[in-house]
Amino acid sequence: MGDFISFLWWAEKKHYSHWLTGINDRGAHGDNEFSVALEPPKSKYQEYSNPHQLTTEDGGRRKSHGAKRRVNEAYSKLQVKKDSSATPKEMALHYRNLLILRVMREGALRNTEDITLELSQFQGDPEYDTSGNKVWIKTSQTKGKNKASRYVEIPTMLDKQIRRFIKMFRKQLLPKAMKGVKSLPTDPVFLSTKTGMALNRTSVNGIFKEYGINPHLGRMLSLSEMAQSLFKQGLGEGDILLLLSEHAGHSEKSDGKTIRRHYLDALRELEASIMDNPVTLRCELKDAESEIKRLTRENEELRVRLTEN
């Protein structure tokens, strides 16, 4: 639509046509019903503003393309760094970063909700959901006017990992001035090594820039995967969007565009997963069979060598 109106404007300007476009002057030329009314430009670099621009709900390649692969690679790299760290502080630092990413990836928390989590949420007995697979925690901050906090669910295993981090590693990140100072329930779980306070969003984005990801991608993936799970359970679009919105902490006044995008991403990935090319699958099967034969042959050769010795 934008290209079409741009062509009409060009034709008017080159005098190949007359009265096809105009700036808010529809009807200025009598009974002409073909004038496309445009609006004054919004910047000095535009000749006009197009109020008729059409947008498609699912057009173009989504920004999160390849996000799952990059986030998974970040998981692996951080795990390797943690396990191969030379000092306890270095290990604690990589463990902290890994958990920050996991909270967003596995619990769909916002960046701010993640980095302001307080120690109080991991003291005392966990509050399990009815399935026993998730634990309820309360954020200290969330998005929206007059909304101080909200309850969210994170996997039970992740809750255990955070508690382990607090008990065994967190103290390694405390600045020298805070060494030996007793922590308060309101202190942040994921503290800054410089200030001892909660990390800020800029710092978190800087941490994960090394891995080519924005940590918010984890939240996006989490919501899309939840949509896939609900779809497989047979829920309809309305119910899925409602549950996603509630899980994401979106307000009732939200227009729902963000949640619907995650829903569409989920459907697109489901479609892709069941549309594998049969030739590709056959090739993959042949490769796997060849690999099995190779390993079997090597196993027999080793068995013979062991017998001979």
Side-chain angles (χ1 to χ4, degrees):
M1 190 66 178
D3 290 339
F4 173 65
I5 291 178
S6 178
F7 166 73
L8 295 181
W9 181 269
W10 171 84
E12 287 273 1
K13 192 173 182 179
K14 294 293 184 179
H15 305 294
Y16 296 133
S17 62
H18 191 43
W19 292 352
L20 290 182
T21 60
I23 300 295
N24 291 334
D25 60 356
R26 181 182 174 88
H29 304 293
D31 296 330
N32 175 31
E33 292 296 330
F34 299 100
S35 178
V36 177
L38 303 176
E39 295 177 353
K42 295 181 179 179
S43 76
K44 63 180 181 180
Y45 303 106
Q46 296 174 318
E47 294 182 291
Y48 61 87
S49 177
N50 178 12
H52 311 289
Q53 182 70 44
L54 299 180
T55 58
T56 55
E57 183 177 41
D58 192 28
R61 198 175 193 179
R62 66 191 188 279
K63 293 181 180 179
S64 60
H65 180 76
K68 185 179 295 186
R69 173 183 57 79
R70 296 198 303 274
V71 171
N72 289 343
E73 288 176 353
Y75 261 60
S76 300
K77 291 177 180 177
L78 282 166
Q79 188 68 52
V80 170
K81 285 184 176 182
K82 180 179 79 70
D83 294 339
S84 60
S85 296
T87 65
K89 183 175 181 178
E90 191 176 291
M91 177 181 287
L93 191 65
H94 296 313
Y95 200 0
R96 180 202 68 181
N97 296 344
L98 177 60
L99 289 175
I100 289 173
L101 183 60
R102 287 189 61 184
V103 169
M104 275 185 271
R105 179 68 176 85
E106 299 172 47
L109 271 71
R110 297 182 176 95
N111 197 336
T112 302
E113 294 173 341
D114 185 347
I115 58 180
T116 58
L117 282 174
E118 296 177 352
L119 293 175
S120 60
Q121 298 307 306
F122 303 95
Q123 296 171 339
D125 296 331
E127 184 181 345
Y128 296 99
D129 70 353
T130 54
S131 70
N133 297 322
K134 297 287 184 71
V135 172
W136 285 102
I137 60 173
K138 188 178 181 181
T139 64
S140 60
Q141 293 183 27
T142 191
K143 186 178 180 181
K145 187 177 181 181
N146 299 325
K147 292 176 67 176
S149 62
R150 69 185 181 99
Y151 283 95
V152 295
E153 287 179 310
I154 62 172
T156 299
M157 183 57 69
L158 178 55
D159 175 77
K160 291 179 179 178
Q161 292 290 325
I162 294 174
R163 290 171 183 266
R164 180 170 180 265
F165 166 78
I166 294 171
K167 183 178 180 179
M168 302 179 60
F169 297 92
R170 183 181 177 276
K171 60 185 178 181
Q172 299 292 338
L173 301 178
L174 289 169
K176 289 183 179 180
M178 299 179 68
K179 294 288 187 181
V181 178
K182 186 176 180 180
S183 297
L184 299 174
T186 54
D187 286 346
V189 174
F190 306 122
L191 71 163
S192 164
T193 57
K194 294 181 180 179
T195 67
M197 307 298 288
L199 288 163
N200 57 50
R201 294 180 62 182
T202 302
S203 297
V204 174
N205 290 335
I207 289 169
F208 294 104
K209 186 177 181 180
E210 173 186 346
Y211 307 98
I213 61 172
N214 181 322
H216 187 69
L217 287 177
R219 173 173 161 88
M220 293 169 57
L221 288 171
S222 182
L223 293 172
S224 292
E225 289 175 349
M226 180 179 177
Q228 289 184 32
S229 176
L230 294 172
F231 184 82
K232 290 178 180 179
Q233 293 175 40
L235 274 69
E237 178 180 330
D239 291 333
I240 292 176
L241 293 178
L242 180 63
L243 290 171
L244 284 182
S245 182
E246 182 179 353
H247 184 72
H250 287 193
S251 68
E252 295 178 357
K253 295 181 181 180
S254 172
D255 58 14
K257 289 182 180 179
T258 301
I259 287 297
R260 182 159 178 77
R261 186 170 67 250
H262 295 312
Y263 171 75
L264 292 172
D265 281 351
L267 294 189
R268 184 164 45 237
E269 288 196 14
L270 281 175
E271 290 173 359
S273 67
I274 61 176
M275 291 177 63
D276 290 319
N277 190 304
V279 176
T280 301
L281 292 176
R282 282 198 295 271
C283 289
E284 290 179 353
L285 177 61
K286 288 291 185 182
D287 288 343
E289 291 174 344
S290 298
E291 183 66 11
I292 291 173
K293 290 179 181 179
R294 184 185 67 80
L295 292 173
T296 301
R297 185 171 60 253
E298 290 183 358
N299 185 52
E300 290 299 325
E301 291 174 354
L302 288 171
R303 190 186 302 276
V304 171
R305 290 170 60 184
L306 287 172
T307 302
E308 291 175 350
N309 293 332

